Amino acid sequence: MVSTIELNKRQERILQIVKDNGPITGENIADQLNLTRATLRPDLAILTMAGYLEARPRVGYFYSGKTGSQLLTEKVKKLQVFDYQSIPVVVDESVSVYDAICTMFLEDVGTLFVVDKKSLLVGVLSRKDLLRASIGQRDLEAIPVNIIMTRMPNITFCFKDDLIIDVAGKIIEKQIDAVPVVREVGNGYEVIGRLTKTNMTKVLIDIAKDEVI
Ligand code: ADP
């Protein structure tokens, strides 16, 4: 895992040397620091992978000119769904509102995805969908979820290769808590994950801990 690392003293000095003298070979940087090329290799690798330096064969190292925060922004924009998604909880469209409420408690999730007999996504159930259906209703076991769920084609979903930042935008724009991660199967979608506001909070923590992948 490489991130917008905090640079150590030696890396800071290398950066300064390349800023002042680049393009410059590894050999020349080593000379200026009175170190061997081999000793510097890991530092140069880190600075290159992190994006501070660029390396060109036979020419040497250039300073990329990017600040730590520019590099972080670039990384955050590249984060993908599969690195942060959770396991989805699905229910069959024929189950009752009562059973869906039990599943929501047992599985400890805030959003359920509803699938048909072929396991294809047909609906979404939020906490408030179930609360609304429960108000004033006596027999929650008699109401199937497919009459209260939000249904296709109105479901906002994403694919595992989508960018986290795009899904975050959809969550805000649509004012929803979770998005199913799907895979296209025939003429429908199979649910393979979920991305929630909690997953987004995890992204924030990773950024703060400097552990963005
Ligand atoms: P809550 O209703 O508990 O506040 P949400 O904000 O997630 O939770 O849901 C608001 C409404 O949007 C609900 O009616 C729900 O069915 C619907 N909804 C939730 N997630 C999605 C989604 N991914 N795509 C479409 N509609 C959704």
Side-chain angles (χ1 to χ4, degrees):
M1 200 184 304
V2 181
S3 58
T4 51
I5 35 152
E6 277 189 26
L7 302 181
N8 66 28
K9 281 249 156 57
R10 187 193 283 165
Q11 289 158 358
E12 293 282 6
R13 288 185 65 197
I14 294 172
L15 210 52
Q16 195 57 51
I17 290 171
V18 179
K19 257 190 218 178
D20 296 341
N21 307 291
I24 178 171
T25 62
E27 208 65 53
N28 283 337
I29 301 171
D31 283 348
Q32 294 208 25
L33 292 169
N34 287 323
L35 294 168
T36 66
R37 174 79 179 84
T39 315
L40 279 196
R41 196 161 286 132
D43 291 316
L44 287 169
I46 286 170
L47 288 168
T48 310
M49 277 193 293
Y52 289 100
L53 296 184
E54 285 168 30
R56 303 260 165 78
R58 285 183 300 280
V59 181
Y61 292 91
F62 292 82
Y63 177 59
S64 72
K66 288 175 184 158
T67 63
S69 84
Q70 279 174 317
L71 293 167
L72 178 62
T73 304
E74 280 181 12
K75 282 221 169 83
V76 170
K77 282 190 185 159
K78 282 187 199 147
L79 296 179
Q80 285 174 291
V81 166
F82 57 80
D83 280 322
Y84 287 93
Q85 71 189 45
S86 309
I87 294 166
V89 179
V90 301
V91 293
D92 192 272
E93 62 180 332
S94 62
V95 305
S96 66
V97 169
Y98 181 89
D99 285 338
I101 292 171
C102 293
T103 304
M104 197 172 261
F105 274 98
L106 288 171
E107 302 286 348
D108 196 17
V109 290
T111 309
L112 298 173
F113 302 121
V114 185
V115 295
D116 65 11
K117 293 274 169 293
K118 287 183 266 168
S119 291
L120 299 179
L121 177 66
V122 289
V124 175
L125 290 167
S126 73
R127 281 177 276 231
K128 267 183 249 153
D129 291 333
L130 296 171
L131 273 178
R132 195 182 303 113
S134 308
I135 294 173
Q137 293 290 338
R138 294 245 168 135
D139 196 2
L140 296 180
E141 283 179 85
I143 314 169
V145 289
N146 65 7
I147 66 168
I148 66 149
M149 68 191 187
T150 298
R151 60 188 59 250
M152 279 297 208
N154 298 322
I155 299 176
T156 302
F157 55 80
C158 68
F159 298 98
K160 71 176 174 41
D161 297 331
D162 283 352
L163 296 176
I164 288 275
I165 195 70
D166 291 339
V167 183
K170 286 183 188 173
I171 285 179
I172 295 298
E173 183 199 334
K174 308 276 181 184
Q175 302 186 352
I176 51 181
D177 291 347
V179 173
V181 184
V182 301
R183 171 166 62 201
E184 218 168 338
V185 178
N187 51 2
Y189 298 99
E190 187 182 58
V191 184
I192 57 168
R194 78 193 151 96
L195 201 70
T196 67
K197 287 180 175 174
T198 306
N199 300 128
M200 296 298 173
T201 309
K202 173 84 171 37
V203 174
L204 181 62
I205 290 174
D206 279 4
I207 292 170
K209 283 202 303 198
D210 215 358
E211 283 178 5
V212 174
I213 295 163

PDB file of all heavy atoms in Angstrom, residues 110-111 113 124-129 132 149-150 154-157 174-180 197, ligand 1:
ATOM      1  N   GLY A 110     -28.992  -1.241   7.248  1.00  0.00           N
ATOM      2  CA  GLY A 110     -30.043  -0.235   7.113  1.00  0.00           C
ATOM      3  C   GLY A 110     -30.776  -0.310   5.792  1.00  0.00           C
ATOM      4  O   GLY A 110     -31.818   0.327   5.612  1.00  0.00           O
ATOM      5  N   THR A 111     -30.245  -1.085   4.860  1.00  0.00           N
ATOM      6  CA  THR A 111     -30.873  -1.203   3.537  1.00  0.00           C
ATOM      7  C   THR A 111     -30.860  -2.664   3.105  1.00  0.00           C
ATOM      8  O   THR A 111     -29.840  -3.337   3.227  1.00  0.00           O
ATOM      9  CB  THR A 111     -30.093  -0.367   2.491  1.00  0.00           C
ATOM     10  OG1 THR A 111     -29.921   0.968   2.985  1.00  0.00           O
ATOM     11  CG2 THR A 111     -30.831  -0.327   1.162  1.00  0.00           C
ATOM     12  N   PHE A 113     -31.722  -5.311  -0.162  1.00  0.00           N
ATOM     13  CA  PHE A 113     -31.964  -5.364  -1.601  1.00  0.00           C
ATOM     14  C   PHE A 113     -32.899  -6.532  -1.875  1.00  0.00           C
ATOM     15  O   PHE A 113     -32.787  -7.590  -1.263  1.00  0.00           O
ATOM     16  CB  PHE A 113     -30.641  -5.505  -2.352  1.00  0.00           C
ATOM     17  CG  PHE A 113     -29.703  -4.372  -2.045  1.00  0.00           C
ATOM     18  CD1 PHE A 113     -28.454  -4.613  -1.489  1.00  0.00           C
ATOM     19  CD2 PHE A 113     -30.101  -3.060  -2.255  1.00  0.00           C
ATOM     20  CE1 PHE A 113     -27.612  -3.562  -1.162  1.00  0.00           C
ATOM     21  CE2 PHE A 113     -29.262  -1.994  -1.938  1.00  0.00           C
ATOM     22  CZ  PHE A 113     -28.017  -2.250  -1.393  1.00  0.00           C
ATOM     23  N   VAL A 124     -35.397  -2.077  -3.594  1.00  0.00           N
ATOM     24  CA  VAL A 124     -34.608  -1.635  -2.439  1.00  0.00           C
ATOM     25  C   VAL A 124     -35.574  -1.319  -1.310  1.00  0.00           C
ATOM     26  O   VAL A 124     -36.656  -0.767  -1.538  1.00  0.00           O
ATOM     27  CB  VAL A 124     -33.800  -0.353  -2.776  1.00  0.00           C
ATOM     28  CG1 VAL A 124     -33.090   0.177  -1.539  1.00  0.00           C
ATOM     29  CG2 VAL A 124     -32.797  -0.605  -3.877  1.00  0.00           C
ATOM     30  N   LEU A 125     -35.187  -1.710  -0.091  1.00  0.00           N
ATOM     31  CA  LEU A 125     -35.996  -1.395   1.100  1.00  0.00           C
ATOM     32  C   LEU A 125     -35.134  -0.649   2.098  1.00  0.00           C
ATOM     33  O   LEU A 125     -34.089  -1.147   2.528  1.00  0.00           O
ATOM     34  CB  LEU A 125     -36.468  -2.686   1.769  1.00  0.00           C
ATOM     35  CG  LEU A 125     -37.516  -3.532   1.041  1.00  0.00           C
ATOM     36  CD1 LEU A 125     -37.594  -4.909   1.699  1.00  0.00           C
ATOM     37  CD2 LEU A 125     -38.874  -2.836   1.074  1.00  0.00           C
ATOM     38  N   SER A 126     -35.576   0.546   2.464  1.00  0.00           N
ATOM     39  CA  SER A 126     -34.851   1.303   3.486  1.00  0.00           C
ATOM     40  C   SER A 126     -35.589   1.148   4.817  1.00  0.00           C
ATOM     41  O   SER A 126     -36.713   0.632   4.866  1.00  0.00           O
ATOM     42  CB  SER A 126     -34.785   2.776   3.089  1.00  0.00           C
ATOM     43  OG  SER A 126     -36.056   3.371   3.264  1.00  0.00           O
ATOM     44  N   ARG A 127     -34.961   1.652   5.874  1.00  0.00           N
ATOM     45  CA  ARG A 127     -35.610   1.608   7.191  1.00  0.00           C
ATOM     46  C   ARG A 127     -36.957   2.330   7.150  1.00  0.00           C
ATOM     47  O   ARG A 127     -37.956   1.832   7.662  1.00  0.00           O
ATOM     48  CB  ARG A 127     -34.710   2.288   8.231  1.00  0.00           C
ATOM     49  CG  ARG A 127     -33.587   1.406   8.700  1.00  0.00           C
ATOM     50  CD  ARG A 127     -32.693   2.147   9.662  1.00  0.00           C
ATOM     51  NE  ARG A 127     -31.724   2.914   8.917  1.00  0.00           N
ATOM     52  CZ  ARG A 127     -30.409   2.884   9.144  1.00  0.00           C
ATOM     53  NH1 ARG A 127     -29.923   2.136  10.114  1.00  0.00           N
ATOM     54  NH2 ARG A 127     -29.572   3.585   8.427  1.00  0.00           N
ATOM     55  N   LYS A 128     -36.954   3.503   6.513  1.00  0.00           N
ATOM     56  CA  LYS A 128     -38.204   4.273   6.513  1.00  0.00           C
ATOM     57  C   LYS A 128     -39.280   3.649   5.642  1.00  0.00           C
ATOM     58  O   LYS A 128     -40.472   3.817   5.928  1.00  0.00           O
ATOM     59  CB  LYS A 128     -37.935   5.731   6.126  1.00  0.00           C
ATOM     60  CG  LYS A 128     -37.722   6.596   7.365  1.00  0.00           C
ATOM     61  CD  LYS A 128     -37.518   8.052   7.014  1.00  0.00           C
ATOM     62  CE  LYS A 128     -36.096   8.455   7.301  1.00  0.00           C
ATOM     63  NZ  LYS A 128     -35.606   9.543   6.488  1.00  0.00           N
ATOM     64  N   ASP A 129     -38.874   2.919   4.584  1.00  0.00           N
ATOM     65  CA  ASP A 129     -39.878   2.206   3.784  1.00  0.00           C
ATOM     66  C   ASP A 129     -40.644   1.237   4.690  1.00  0.00           C
ATOM     67  O   ASP A 129     -41.874   1.125   4.623  1.00  0.00           O
ATOM     68  CB  ASP A 129     -39.209   1.386   2.673  1.00  0.00           C
ATOM     69  CG  ASP A 129     -38.590   2.247   1.585  1.00  0.00           C
ATOM     70  OD1 ASP A 129     -39.065   3.376   1.376  1.00  0.00           O
ATOM     71  OD2 ASP A 129     -37.624   1.779   0.941  1.00  0.00           O
ATOM     72  N   ARG A 132     -42.789   3.131   7.310  1.00  0.00           N
ATOM     73  CA  ARG A 132     -43.995   3.690   6.682  1.00  0.00           C
ATOM     74  C   ARG A 132     -45.046   2.595   6.484  1.00  0.00           C
ATOM     75  O   ARG A 132     -46.224   2.786   6.772  1.00  0.00           O
ATOM     76  CB  ARG A 132     -43.627   4.313   5.326  1.00  0.00           C
ATOM     77  CG  ARG A 132     -44.691   5.213   4.749  1.00  0.00           C
ATOM     78  CD  ARG A 132     -44.298   5.777   3.381  1.00  0.00           C
ATOM     79  NE  ARG A 132     -43.041   6.503   3.402  1.00  0.00           N
ATOM     80  CZ  ARG A 132     -41.922   6.110   2.777  1.00  0.00           C
ATOM     81  NH1 ARG A 132     -41.909   4.979   2.083  1.00  0.00           N
ATOM     82  NH2 ARG A 132     -40.828   6.829   2.845  1.00  0.00           N
ATOM     83  N   MET A 149     -41.566  -1.616  -1.854  1.00  0.00           N
ATOM     84  CA  MET A 149     -40.148  -1.303  -2.149  1.00  0.00           C
ATOM     85  C   MET A 149     -40.020  -0.253  -3.255  1.00  0.00           C
ATOM     86  O   MET A 149     -40.953  -0.029  -4.034  1.00  0.00           O
ATOM     87  CB  MET A 149     -39.435  -2.592  -2.588  1.00  0.00           C
ATOM     88  CG  MET A 149     -39.924  -3.113  -3.930  1.00  0.00           C
ATOM     89  SD  MET A 149     -39.306  -4.769  -4.247  1.00  0.00           S
ATOM     90  CE  MET A 149     -39.868  -4.980  -5.952  1.00  0.00           C
ATOM     91  N   THR A 150     -38.859   0.365  -3.306  1.00  0.00           N
ATOM     92  CA  THR A 150     -38.505   1.177  -4.473  1.00  0.00           C
ATOM     93  C   THR A 150     -38.044   0.182  -5.529  1.00  0.00           C
ATOM     94  O   THR A 150     -37.260  -0.714  -5.233  1.00  0.00           O
ATOM     95  CB  THR A 150     -37.349   2.146  -4.126  1.00  0.00           C
ATOM     96  OG1 THR A 150     -37.792   3.017  -3.096  1.00  0.00           O
ATOM     97  CG2 THR A 150     -36.933   2.963  -5.338  1.00  0.00           C
ATOM     98  N   ASN A 154     -36.015   2.446 -11.047  1.00  0.00           N
ATOM     99  CA  ASN A 154     -35.667   3.629 -10.248  1.00  0.00           C
ATOM    100  C   ASN A 154     -34.533   3.397  -9.255  1.00  0.00           C
ATOM    101  O   ASN A 154     -34.308   4.213  -8.370  1.00  0.00           O
ATOM    102  CB  ASN A 154     -36.905   4.121  -9.485  1.00  0.00           C
ATOM    103  CG  ASN A 154     -38.007   4.539 -10.428  1.00  0.00           C
ATOM    104  OD1 ASN A 154     -37.732   5.127 -11.474  1.00  0.00           O
ATOM    105  ND2 ASN A 154     -39.243   4.196 -10.102  1.00  0.00           N
ATOM    106  N   ILE A 155     -33.846   2.265  -9.381  1.00  0.00           N
ATOM    107  CA  ILE A 155     -32.793   1.968  -8.417  1.00  0.00           C
ATOM    108  C   ILE A 155     -31.450   2.533  -8.893  1.00  0.00           C
ATOM    109  O   ILE A 155     -31.071   2.365 -10.050  1.00  0.00           O
ATOM    110  CB  ILE A 155     -32.673   0.445  -8.187  1.00  0.00           C
ATOM    111  CG1 ILE A 155     -34.000  -0.075  -7.622  1.00  0.00           C
ATOM    112  CG2 ILE A 155     -31.515   0.132  -7.243  1.00  0.00           C
ATOM    113  CD1 ILE A 155     -34.049  -1.561  -7.446  1.00  0.00           C
ATOM    114  N   THR A 156     -30.791   3.199  -7.977  1.00  0.00           N
ATOM    115  CA  THR A 156     -29.438   3.681  -8.251  1.00  0.00           C
ATOM    116  C   THR A 156     -28.486   2.566  -7.870  1.00  0.00           C
ATOM    117  O   THR A 156     -28.510   2.099  -6.730  1.00  0.00           O
ATOM    118  CB  THR A 156     -29.131   4.932  -7.402  1.00  0.00           C
ATOM    119  OG1 THR A 156     -30.101   5.926  -7.706  1.00  0.00           O
ATOM    120  CG2 THR A 156     -27.740   5.459  -7.673  1.00  0.00           C
ATOM    121  N   PHE A 157     -27.677   2.112  -8.820  1.00  0.00           N
ATOM    122  CA  PHE A 157     -26.736   1.033  -8.517  1.00  0.00           C
ATOM    123  C   PHE A 157     -25.371   1.389  -9.072  1.00  0.00           C
ATOM    124  O   PHE A 157     -25.205   2.411  -9.753  1.00  0.00           O
ATOM    125  CB  PHE A 157     -27.240  -0.310  -9.072  1.00  0.00           C
ATOM    126  CG  PHE A 157     -27.546  -0.287 -10.541  1.00  0.00           C
ATOM    127  CD1 PHE A 157     -26.546  -0.399 -11.478  1.00  0.00           C
ATOM    128  CD2 PHE A 157     -28.861  -0.138 -10.989  1.00  0.00           C
ATOM    129  CE1 PHE A 157     -26.827  -0.371 -12.836  1.00  0.00           C
ATOM    130  CE2 PHE A 157     -29.156  -0.114 -12.340  1.00  0.00           C
ATOM    131  CZ  PHE A 157     -28.127  -0.225 -13.261  1.00  0.00           C
ATOM    132  N   LYS A 174     -29.064  11.693  -4.757  1.00  0.00           N
ATOM    133  CA  LYS A 174     -30.346  10.979  -4.617  1.00  0.00           C
ATOM    134  C   LYS A 174     -30.829  10.915  -3.171  1.00  0.00           C
ATOM    135  O   LYS A 174     -31.897  10.375  -2.894  1.00  0.00           O
ATOM    136  CB  LYS A 174     -30.218   9.549  -5.148  1.00  0.00           C
ATOM    137  CG  LYS A 174     -29.663   9.436  -6.545  1.00  0.00           C
ATOM    138  CD  LYS A 174     -30.750   9.610  -7.574  1.00  0.00           C
ATOM    139  CE  LYS A 174     -30.164   9.473  -8.968  1.00  0.00           C
ATOM    140  NZ  LYS A 174     -31.066   9.699 -10.046  1.00  0.00           N
ATOM    141  N   GLN A 175     -30.002  11.384  -2.245  1.00  0.00           N
ATOM    142  CA  GLN A 175     -30.342  11.354  -0.820  1.00  0.00           C
ATOM    143  C   GLN A 175     -30.693   9.953  -0.340  1.00  0.00           C
ATOM    144  O   GLN A 175     -31.757   9.713   0.236  1.00  0.00           O
ATOM    145  CB  GLN A 175     -31.484  12.325  -0.519  1.00  0.00           C
ATOM    146  CG  GLN A 175     -31.126  13.743  -0.919  1.00  0.00           C
ATOM    147  CD  GLN A 175     -32.174  14.762  -0.496  1.00  0.00           C
ATOM    148  OE1 GLN A 175     -33.244  14.418  -0.028  1.00  0.00           O
ATOM    149  NE2 GLN A 175     -31.851  16.023  -0.639  1.00  0.00           N
ATOM    150  N   ILE A 176     -29.777   9.036  -0.618  1.00  0.00           N
ATOM    151  CA  ILE A 176     -29.972   7.648  -0.184  1.00  0.00           C
ATOM    152  C   ILE A 176     -28.793   7.213   0.684  1.00  0.00           C
ATOM    153  O   ILE A 176     -27.764   7.885   0.708  1.00  0.00           O
ATOM    154  CB  ILE A 176     -30.122   6.693  -1.399  1.00  0.00           C
ATOM    155  CG1 ILE A 176     -28.975   6.915  -2.396  1.00  0.00           C
ATOM    156  CG2 ILE A 176     -31.481   6.888  -2.045  1.00  0.00           C
ATOM    157  CD1 ILE A 176     -29.052   6.041  -3.635  1.00  0.00           C
ATOM    158  N   ASP A 177     -28.983   6.092   1.397  1.00  0.00           N
ATOM    159  CA  ASP A 177     -27.941   5.637   2.323  1.00  0.00           C
ATOM    160  C   ASP A 177     -27.021   4.575   1.720  1.00  0.00           C
ATOM    161  O   ASP A 177     -25.910   4.375   2.195  1.00  0.00           O
ATOM    162  CB  ASP A 177     -28.584   5.020   3.581  1.00  0.00           C
ATOM    163  CG  ASP A 177     -29.266   6.067   4.433  1.00  0.00           C
ATOM    164  OD1 ASP A 177     -29.035   7.267   4.184  1.00  0.00           O
ATOM    165  OD2 ASP A 177     -30.027   5.693   5.339  1.00  0.00           O
ATOM    166  N   ALA A 178     -27.538   3.858   0.728  1.00  0.00           N
ATOM    167  CA  ALA A 178     -26.760   2.731   0.209  1.00  0.00           C
ATOM    168  C   ALA A 178     -27.035   2.500  -1.267  1.00  0.00           C
ATOM    169  O   ALA A 178     -28.112   2.825  -1.772  1.00  0.00           O
ATOM    170  CB  ALA A 178     -27.103   1.472   0.991  1.00  0.00           C
ATOM    171  N   VAL A 179     -26.058   1.914  -1.928  1.00  0.00           N
ATOM    172  CA  VAL A 179     -26.165   1.623  -3.355  1.00  0.00           C
ATOM    173  C   VAL A 179     -25.752   0.163  -3.562  1.00  0.00           C
ATOM    174  O   VAL A 179     -24.696  -0.240  -3.070  1.00  0.00           O
ATOM    175  CB  VAL A 179     -25.213   2.557  -4.147  1.00  0.00           C
ATOM    176  CG1 VAL A 179     -25.155   2.176  -5.604  1.00  0.00           C
ATOM    177  CG2 VAL A 179     -25.627   4.015  -3.981  1.00  0.00           C
ATOM    178  N   PRO A 180     -26.572  -0.628  -4.246  1.00  0.00           N
ATOM    179  CA  PRO A 180     -26.135  -1.998  -4.512  1.00  0.00           C
ATOM    180  C   PRO A 180     -25.018  -2.030  -5.567  1.00  0.00           C
ATOM    181  O   PRO A 180     -25.051  -1.248  -6.509  1.00  0.00           O
ATOM    182  CB  PRO A 180     -27.401  -2.689  -5.042  1.00  0.00           C
ATOM    183  CG  PRO A 180     -28.249  -1.589  -5.580  1.00  0.00           C
ATOM    184  CD  PRO A 180     -27.910  -0.361  -4.787  1.00  0.00           C
ATOM    185  N   LYS A 197     -23.051   4.715   3.283  1.00  0.00           N
ATOM    186  CA  LYS A 197     -22.417   5.897   3.864  1.00  0.00           C
ATOM    187  C   LYS A 197     -21.331   5.479   4.854  1.00  0.00           C
ATOM    188  O   LYS A 197     -20.354   6.194   5.052  1.00  0.00           O
ATOM    189  CB  LYS A 197     -23.467   6.754   4.570  1.00  0.00           C
ATOM    190  CG  LYS A 197     -24.369   7.491   3.595  1.00  0.00           C
ATOM    191  CD  LYS A 197     -25.388   8.315   4.350  1.00  0.00           C
ATOM    192  CE  LYS A 197     -26.226   9.151   3.401  1.00  0.00           C
ATOM    193  NZ  LYS A 197     -27.314   9.845   4.100  1.00  0.00           N
TER     194      LYS A 197
HETATM  195  P1  ADP B   1     -34.332   5.998   4.839  1.00  0.00           P
HETATM  196  O1  ADP B   1     -35.602   5.937   4.007  1.00  0.00           O
HETATM  197  O2  ADP B   1     -34.350   5.011   5.955  1.00  0.00           O
HETATM  198  O3  ADP B   1     -33.970   7.383   5.250  1.00  0.00           O
HETATM  199  P2  ADP B   1     -32.716   6.036   2.418  1.00  0.00           P
HETATM  200  O4  ADP B   1     -32.427   7.505   2.498  1.00  0.00           O
HETATM  201  O5  ADP B   1     -31.626   5.125   1.955  1.00  0.00           O
HETATM  202  O6  ADP B   1     -33.159   5.495   3.847  1.00  0.00           O
HETATM  203  O7  ADP B   1     -33.961   5.818   1.458  1.00  0.00           O
HETATM  204  C1  ADP B   1     -34.816   6.841   1.032  1.00  0.00           C
HETATM  205  C2  ADP B   1     -35.712   6.304  -0.066  1.00  0.00           C
HETATM  206  O8  ADP B   1     -34.914   6.012  -1.211  1.00  0.00           O
HETATM  207  C3  ADP B   1     -36.431   5.008   0.297  1.00  0.00           C
HETATM  208  O9  ADP B   1     -37.752   5.039  -0.204  1.00  0.00           O
HETATM  209  C4  ADP B   1     -35.636   3.911  -0.394  1.00  0.00           C
HETATM  210  O10 ADP B   1     -36.421   2.822  -0.850  1.00  0.00           O
HETATM  211  C5  ADP B   1     -35.038   4.642  -1.569  1.00  0.00           C
HETATM  212  N1  ADP B   1     -33.681   4.126  -1.867  1.00  0.00           N
HETATM  213  C6  ADP B   1     -32.729   3.747  -1.010  1.00  0.00           C
HETATM  214  N2  ADP B   1     -31.625   3.325  -1.666  1.00  0.00           N
HETATM  215  C7  ADP B   1     -31.917   3.438  -2.978  1.00  0.00           C
HETATM  216  C8  ADP B   1     -31.188   3.154  -4.183  1.00  0.00           C
HETATM  217  N3  ADP B   1     -29.956   2.662  -4.159  1.00  0.00           N
HETATM  218  N4  ADP B   1     -31.799   3.391  -5.372  1.00  0.00           N
HETATM  219  C9  ADP B   1     -33.053   3.899  -5.386  1.00  0.00           C
HETATM  220  N5  ADP B   1     -33.786   4.176  -4.317  1.00  0.00           N
HETATM  221  C10 ADP B   1     -33.220   3.954  -3.116  1.00  0.00           C
END
